[in-house]
Amino acid sequence: MSSSSPVVGVLALQGDVREHLVALAEADALARPVRRPEELAEVDALVIPGGESTTMSKLALLFGVMEPLRARVAAGMPVYGTCAGMIMLADKILDGRDDQETVGGIDMVVRRNAFGRQNESFELGVHFAGLPDESRPVHGVFIRAPWVESTGTGVEVLASLRTEAGVDHPVAVRQGNLLATSFHPELTGDHRVHAYFVDLVRAAGN
Ligand code: GLN
Protein backbone atom coordinates (compact mmCIF):
# COMPACT_ATOMS: atom_id res chain seq x y z
CA MET A 1 0.00 0.00 0.00
CA SER A 2 1.03 3.59 -0.35
CA SER A 3 2.44 4.55 3.02
CA SER A 4 0.95 8.04 2.72
CA SER A 5 -2.68 7.19 1.97
CA PRO A 6 -3.82 3.76 3.11
CA VAL A 7 -7.07 2.31 1.78
CA VAL A 8 -9.53 2.16 4.65
CA GLY A 9 -12.92 0.52 4.20
CA VAL A 10 -16.07 1.27 6.16
CA LEU A 11 -18.31 -1.73 6.80
CA ALA A 12 -21.42 -0.53 4.97
CA LEU A 13 -24.09 -3.02 6.01
CA GLN A 14 -25.90 -0.60 8.32
CA GLY A 15 -25.14 2.48 10.40
CA ASP A 16 -23.44 5.85 9.99
CA VAL A 17 -21.20 4.89 7.08
CA ARG A 18 -21.14 8.21 5.23
CA GLU A 19 -19.87 10.17 8.26
CA HIS A 20 -16.93 7.77 8.63
CA LEU A 21 -16.08 8.01 4.92
CA VAL A 22 -15.89 11.80 5.29
CA ALA A 23 -13.84 11.68 8.52
CA LEU A 24 -11.38 9.17 7.02
CA ALA A 25 -10.92 11.27 3.89
CA GLU A 26 -10.23 14.28 6.15
CA ALA A 27 -7.61 12.13 7.90
CA ASP A 28 -5.89 11.44 4.54
CA ALA A 29 -7.06 7.90 3.95
CA LEU A 30 -8.59 6.56 0.74
CA ALA A 31 -11.98 5.64 2.15
CA ARG A 32 -14.47 3.27 0.55
CA PRO A 33 -17.54 1.27 1.58
CA VAL A 34 -17.16 -2.49 2.13
CA ARG A 35 -20.10 -4.91 1.94
CA ARG A 36 -18.73 -8.06 0.35
CA PRO A 37 -15.76 -10.35 0.98
CA GLU A 38 -14.15 -9.23 -2.35
CA GLU A 39 -14.30 -5.62 -1.18
CA LEU A 40 -12.87 -6.53 2.22
CA ALA A 41 -9.93 -8.24 0.53
CA GLU A 42 -8.96 -4.95 -1.14
CA VAL A 43 -8.64 -2.70 1.92
CA ASP A 44 -5.68 -2.18 4.27
CA ALA A 45 -7.94 -1.52 7.25
CA LEU A 46 -11.59 -1.24 8.23
CA VAL A 47 -13.93 0.94 10.27
CA ILE A 48 -17.04 -0.64 11.77
CA PRO A 49 -19.53 2.22 12.23
CA GLY A 50 -22.14 3.00 14.83
CA GLY A 51 -25.65 1.71 14.27
CA GLU A 52 -27.33 -1.35 15.68
CA SER A 53 -25.01 -4.24 16.46
CA THR A 54 -27.72 -6.93 16.36
CA THR A 55 -28.69 -5.94 12.79
CA MET A 56 -25.09 -5.48 11.74
CA SER A 57 -24.20 -8.91 13.05
CA LYS A 58 -27.11 -10.51 11.17
CA LEU A 59 -26.20 -8.75 7.93
CA ALA A 60 -22.50 -9.62 8.27
CA LEU A 61 -23.48 -13.30 8.42
CA LEU A 62 -25.93 -12.88 5.52
CA PHE A 63 -23.41 -11.09 3.28
CA GLY A 64 -20.75 -13.68 4.13
CA VAL A 65 -18.31 -11.14 5.56
CA MET A 66 -18.25 -12.32 9.20
CA GLU A 67 -15.77 -15.17 8.69
CA PRO A 68 -13.45 -13.28 6.25
CA LEU A 69 -13.49 -10.37 8.71
CA ARG A 70 -12.52 -12.62 11.61
CA ALA A 71 -9.71 -14.03 9.48
CA ARG A 72 -8.40 -10.53 8.60
CA VAL A 73 -8.55 -9.49 12.27
CA ALA A 74 -6.62 -12.62 13.24
CA ALA A 75 -4.05 -11.76 10.55
CA GLY A 76 -3.53 -8.31 12.08
CA MET A 77 -5.64 -5.98 9.92
CA PRO A 78 -6.28 -2.71 11.77
CA VAL A 79 -9.95 -2.17 12.65
CA TYR A 80 -11.64 0.76 14.39
CA GLY A 81 -15.13 0.26 15.81
CA THR A 82 -17.40 3.04 17.08
CA CYS A 83 -20.32 2.23 19.38
CA ALA A 84 -22.06 -0.71 17.63
CA GLY A 85 -18.61 -1.24 16.06
CA MET A 86 -17.09 -1.49 19.55
CA ILE A 87 -19.64 -4.19 20.37
CA MET A 88 -18.67 -6.02 17.16
CA LEU A 89 -14.99 -6.05 18.23
CA ALA A 90 -15.64 -7.42 21.72
CA ASP A 91 -14.71 -11.00 22.51
CA LYS A 92 -17.68 -11.09 24.87
CA ILE A 93 -20.84 -9.00 25.23
CA LEU A 94 -23.47 -8.51 27.92
CA ASP A 95 -27.12 -7.67 27.21
CA GLY A 96 -26.77 -8.84 23.62
CA ARG A 97 -29.37 -10.89 21.80
CA ASP A 98 -29.07 -14.61 22.42
CA ASP A 99 -28.07 -15.32 18.83
CA GLN A 100 -25.88 -12.21 18.46
CA GLU A 101 -22.38 -12.94 17.16
CA THR A 102 -19.43 -10.58 17.22
CA VAL A 103 -16.29 -10.42 15.12
CA GLY A 104 -14.26 -10.31 18.32
CA GLY A 105 -10.56 -9.56 18.58
CA ILE A 106 -10.39 -7.30 21.63
CA ASP A 107 -10.12 -9.15 24.91
CA MET A 108 -12.89 -7.26 26.66
CA VAL A 109 -16.44 -7.63 27.92
CA VAL A 110 -18.73 -4.90 26.54
CA ARG A 111 -22.18 -4.10 27.87
CA ARG A 112 -24.70 -2.98 25.24
CA ASN A 113 -26.84 0.10 25.96
CA ALA A 114 -24.93 0.42 29.23
CA PHE A 115 -25.72 4.08 29.89
CA GLY A 116 -29.36 3.39 29.00
CA ARG A 117 -31.06 3.67 32.32
CA GLN A 118 -29.23 6.81 33.43
CA ASN A 119 -29.12 8.60 30.13
CA GLU A 120 -30.01 7.34 26.66
CA SER A 121 -27.87 9.86 24.80
CA PHE A 122 -25.52 12.59 25.95
CA GLU A 123 -22.48 14.58 24.96
CA LEU A 124 -19.41 15.13 27.08
CA GLY A 125 -15.74 16.13 26.83
CA VAL A 126 -13.56 13.01 26.99
CA HIS A 127 -9.87 12.96 27.80
CA PHE A 128 -8.30 10.63 25.22
CA ALA A 129 -4.71 9.52 25.87
CA GLY A 130 -2.23 9.62 23.01
CA LEU A 131 -4.02 12.02 20.66
CA PRO A 132 -2.26 15.01 19.20
CA ASP A 133 -3.10 18.03 21.35
CA GLU A 134 -4.04 15.54 24.07
CA SER A 135 -4.98 18.15 26.66
CA ARG A 136 -7.92 19.23 24.47
CA PRO A 137 -10.78 16.81 25.21
CA VAL A 138 -12.56 14.95 22.44
CA HIS A 139 -16.22 15.87 22.09
CA GLY A 140 -17.84 12.55 22.97
CA VAL A 141 -21.26 11.88 21.44
CA PHE A 142 -22.83 8.88 23.21
CA ILE A 143 -25.97 7.39 21.62
CA ARG A 144 -27.39 4.32 23.39
CA ALA A 145 -23.74 3.65 23.94
CA PRO A 146 -21.99 0.59 25.31
CA TRP A 147 -19.26 0.70 27.92
CA VAL A 148 -16.43 -1.68 28.62
CA GLU A 149 -17.15 -3.80 31.65
CA SER A 150 -13.72 -5.44 31.92
CA THR A 151 -10.54 -5.86 29.89
CA GLY A 152 -7.81 -8.47 29.57
CA THR A 153 -4.15 -7.66 30.21
CA GLY A 154 -3.31 -6.85 26.58
CA VAL A 155 -5.89 -4.07 26.36
CA GLU A 156 -4.85 -0.44 26.74
CA VAL A 157 -7.50 1.94 28.10
CA LEU A 158 -7.33 5.30 26.28
CA ALA A 159 -10.38 6.97 27.83
CA SER A 160 -12.80 6.29 30.69
CA LEU A 161 -15.98 7.79 32.06
CA ARG A 162 -17.10 7.85 35.68
CA THR A 163 -20.70 6.72 35.99
CA GLU A 164 -23.27 8.07 38.43
CA ALA A 165 -22.44 5.12 40.66
CA GLY A 166 -18.85 6.41 40.84
CA VAL A 167 -17.37 3.56 38.81
CA ASP A 168 -14.91 4.20 35.99
CA HIS A 169 -15.69 2.42 32.76
CA PRO A 170 -13.42 2.45 29.71
CA VAL A 171 -15.00 4.12 26.67
CA ALA A 172 -11.95 3.96 24.37
CA VAL A 173 -9.58 1.00 24.18
CA ARG A 174 -6.85 -0.39 21.99
CA GLN A 175 -5.40 -3.85 21.63
CA GLY A 176 -2.64 -4.01 19.04
CA ASN A 177 -4.16 -2.88 15.74
CA LEU A 178 -7.72 -2.85 17.05
CA LEU A 179 -9.26 0.37 18.34
CA ALA A 180 -12.76 0.90 19.76
CA THR A 181 -14.73 3.83 21.17
CA SER A 182 -18.17 3.90 22.82
CA PHE A 183 -18.74 7.30 21.27
CA HIS A 184 -18.88 8.74 17.74
CA PRO A 185 -15.99 11.04 16.70
CA GLU A 186 -17.30 10.79 13.12
CA LEU A 187 -20.28 12.95 14.14
CA THR A 188 -18.08 15.86 15.25
CA GLY A 189 -15.81 18.02 13.12
CA ASP A 190 -12.82 16.82 15.17
CA HIS A 191 -11.07 14.07 13.22
CA ARG A 192 -8.17 13.45 15.65
CA VAL A 193 -9.36 9.94 16.53
CA HIS A 194 -9.62 9.03 12.83
CA ALA A 195 -6.16 10.52 12.27
CA TYR A 196 -4.86 8.43 15.22
CA PHE A 197 -6.34 5.34 13.53
CA VAL A 198 -4.93 6.19 10.10
CA ASP A 199 -1.47 6.64 11.70
CA LEU A 200 -1.89 3.21 13.29
CA VAL A 201 -2.81 1.79 9.84
CA ARG A 202 0.31 3.37 8.28
CA ALA A 203 2.51 1.98 11.05
CA ALA A 204 0.98 -1.49 10.59
CA GLY A 205 1.76 -1.38 6.86
CA ASN A 206 5.42 -0.41 7.26
N1 GLN B 1 -27.14 0.31 21.12
C1 GLN B 1 -26.59 0.02 19.83
C2 GLN B 1 -26.25 -1.46 19.68
O1 GLN B 1 -26.49 -2.24 20.50
C3 GLN B 1 -25.36 0.85 19.54
C4 GLN B 1 -25.73 2.31 19.37
C5 GLN B 1 -24.83 3.07 18.44
O2 GLN B 1 -24.05 2.52 17.66
N2 GLN B 1 -24.99 4.38 18.46
O3 GLN B 1 -25.72 -1.82 18.67
Side-chain angles (χ1 to χ4, degrees), residues 50-53 83-84 87 112-113 143-144 184:
E52 176 48 54
S53 59
C83 202
I87 296 168
R112 283 183 66 224
N113 305 332
I143 305 167
R144 289 178 58 77
H184 295 269

Side-chain angles (χ1 to χ4, degrees), residues 1-2 4-11 17 20-25 27-34 39-40 42-48 72 77-80 194-195 197-202:
M1 75 184 186
S2 140
S4 54
S5 293
V7 178
V8 180
V10 179
L11 190 64
V17 175
H20 276 291
L21 292 171
V22 171
L24 286 166
D28 282 333
L30 299 171
R32 54 170 77 152
V34 164
E39 294 164 337
L40 178 64
E42 285 169 6
V43 298
D44 300 314
L46 189 73
V47 165
I48 307 181
R72 289 290 309 268
M77 176 177 71
V79 184
Y80 171 31
H194 286 77
F197 179 62
V198 173
D199 280 347
L200 182 166
V201 176
R202 280 199 199 97

